[in-house]
Amino acid sequence: MNSFEAAPADRVRRLSDNLAAVRERVEAACSRLDRSPDDVRLVVVTKTYPPGDVAALAALGVRDVGENRDQEASAKAAALSGQALTWHFIGQVQTNKARSVAAYADVVHSVDRPALVAALSRARTSAAPDRPLRCLVQVSLDGDPARGGVTEDRLPVIAEAIVAAPGLELAGVMAVAPLGVPAGEAFAALPRLSAAVRALEPAAVWISAGMSGDLEEALAWGATHLRVGSAILGHRVRVQ
Ligand SMILES: *Cc1c(COP(=O)(O)O)cnc(C)c1O
């Protein structure tokens, strides 16, 4: 039945150990911060890794997976359609890929321009009219939008566009720590950015921040969704 190769036993063991270690990091950080680990979702970033790894992770209790390239993500989502997984699209979305992404993604973390809001809205209302696509506004923490994300002054414009768009649901904000600045300093803006979005949509409480190297700092500044790849799957060969 499966249209992919299952991960070998030693790979499953490695994934299981790594996943346990990351969950321990999350629990230790939450305990230091007096936060409940139940309020944190671990999105396991499976980009570049095969569907067999994703199936193994699902069997280990992972429910949320993240991908950043449409072609790879759509193939994996199709191969794993029998699994109860939530698919998070975390990479930049070209407007001409919106139709494809809206067909399999449950959440898009990287919404950063009105043209993309319009394209996702059109695509989702025709693909799944009764199941809104959750969208996060990606915010640039260093004011340099080259790596995706809006500057703080543009945040309300994009957030309002999502709220107004049929087929979309504003879920919160997303950020990637900029290079060359301590992550904790950059993430200090997150509570303010989140509050700006919640002022427009009180239900938009998600804060997607924190990766393998900086999840503790992100949790300290209120992250609700961690996007962790290499600490669980290993170092990627392809540069992302
Ligand atoms: C690849 C990626 C991650 C995961 O990064 P790791 O350092 O492997 O944990 C998180 N967020 C985004 C946007 C990514 O592209």
Side-chain angles (χ1 to χ4, degrees):
M1 272 295 284
N2 285 347
S3 54
F4 56 86
E5 236 175 283
D10 57 339
R11 175 64 173 158
V12 175
R13 206 168 316 116
R14 169 67 67 84
L15 291 172
S16 173
D17 290 349
N18 289 348
L19 186 61
V22 167
R23 285 179 172 149
E24 269 169 39
R25 280 174 66 189
V26 173
E27 274 164 30
C30 283
S31 135
R32 283 194 302 277
L33 295 160
D34 209 10
R35 291 190 56 182
S36 166
D38 296 341
D39 298 336
V40 178
R41 285 200 83 78
L42 181 61
V43 178
V44 180
V45 178
T46 50
K47 63 191 185 193
T48 79
Y49 287 98
D53 281 1
V54 185
L57 289 162
L60 292 166
V62 168
R63 288 292 163 263
D64 295 86
V65 292
E67 289 282 335
N68 74 337
R69 290 187 180 213
D70 172 55
Q71 216 179 352
E72 181 184 344
S74 63
K76 260 184 238 178
L80 292 155
S81 58
Q83 306 271 357
L85 288 168
T86 296
W87 291 87
H88 297 251
F89 197 87
I90 63 171
Q92 291 187 29
V93 188
Q94 292 166 270
T95 308
N96 64 0
K97 296 289 170 62
R99 176 160 296 278
S100 173
V101 170
Y104 59 80
D106 299 291
V107 187
V108 177
H109 287 232
S110 42
V111 179
D112 61 359
R113 55 194 197 281
L116 178 58
V117 174
L120 288 171
S121 171
R122 262 195 315 275
R124 189 64 165 205
T125 46
S126 72
D130 44 1
R131 216 160 46 85
L133 177 62
R134 290 191 153 142
C135 292
L136 306 180
V137 183
Q138 183 176 350
V139 190
S140 164
L141 295 179
D142 59 1
D144 172 11
R147 293 199 303 150
V150 293
T151 49
E152 187 168 356
D153 58 316
R154 295 271 301 152
L155 173 59
V157 177
I158 308 297
E160 275 173 3
I162 295 170
V163 170
L168 307 185
E169 195 173 282
L170 180 64
V173 293
M174 178 275 215
V176 179
L179 302 171
V181 188
E185 272 174 38
F187 289 154
L190 289 172
R192 184 179 75 236
L193 299 166
S194 173
V197 161
R198 279 182 284 117
L200 300 168
E201 171 54 72
V205 297
W206 293 17
I207 300 178
S208 164
M211 320 201 308
S212 295
D214 56 22
L215 66 88
E216 285 85 359
E217 288 88 343
L219 287 170
W221 291 104
T224 62
H225 289 66
L226 306 171
R227 309 178 308 268
V228 178
S230 52
I232 295 169
L233 288 120
H235 285 285
R236 293 174 294 273
V237 175
R238 197 169 80 207
V239 175
Q240 292 294 317

